[in-house]
Amino acid sequence: DEIWANIVAQHAPKQFKVIETEPSSFTNNSVGMDYIIGGNDTPKFIQTVLVCQNDEAGYIAGDEVWCWGIGNRANPNPTPIYGRTGLRIRIMIDSETFWVNHKDTAEKTNITDTNWRILYRVYC
């Protein structure tokens, strides 16, 4: 048992620290947005989801949507940036509109920014 415990401890990946942001508003057709995380952790992966606030596109309030896009881009990845305030996340909107795949029809459906929030899970 002791040998296996040492082998696992030596070769198993370390646990991730997960930072989950509060769902924040975004604005369709804006240039982009920044979200300040702070600290000096290095992100390994950032999961970005949309959270439904008011029923739209077949989703109900509280639903998380992991497959979404902006303009012609599907599942855009945010860019981590370090500055005086620590880590922040920047996502380009490029004067385009957010969309989701409609829950029932799977058709690309533009969404109203007032009905949705964006949430980041940062794995460090």
Side-chain angles (χ1 to χ4, degrees):
D1 288 346
E2 209 172 301
I3 292 171
W4 284 111
N6 289 333
I7 289 172
V8 169
Q10 184 179 5
H11 297 287
K14 295 189 179 0
Q15 287 284 4
F16 283 104
K17 172 182 174 184
V18 181
I19 302 167
E20 185 171 291
T21 67
E22 290 293 320
S24 58
S25 60
F26 59 86
T27 305
N28 278 321
N29 304 313
S30 65
V31 174
M33 65 180 289
D34 277 355
Y35 191 100
I36 296 173
I37 301 287
N40 58 2
D41 292 314
T42 301
K44 307 285 190 262
F45 176 75
I46 303 172
Q47 177 188 35
T48 310
V49 299
L50 296 182
V51 181
C52 185
Q53 301 297 300
N54 300 301
D55 299 1
E56 186 175 38
Y59 297 96
I60 60 172
D63 282 350
E64 282 188 9
V65 178
W66 295 16
C67 183
W68 56 278
I70 305 171
N72 291 326
R73 293 164 284 138
N75 293 333
N77 289 318
T79 304
I81 299 171
Y82 290 97
R84 290 187 308 268
T85 56
L87 174 64
R88 65 182 187 182
I89 298 169
R90 177 175 290 162
I91 194 161
M92 182 179 71
I93 298 172
D94 199 26
S95 302
E96 296 180 304
T97 302
F98 282 68
W99 56 267
V100 297
N101 289 95
H102 194 283
K103 186 174 184 177
D104 301 321
T105 65
E107 291 182 33
K108 180 178 171 183
T109 306
N110 288 346
I111 56 173
T112 309
D113 46 18
T114 55
N115 288 337
W116 296 81
R117 298 289 178 267
I118 193 166
L119 177 141
Y120 303 103
R121 289 188 185 101
V122 183
Y123 298 80
C124 303

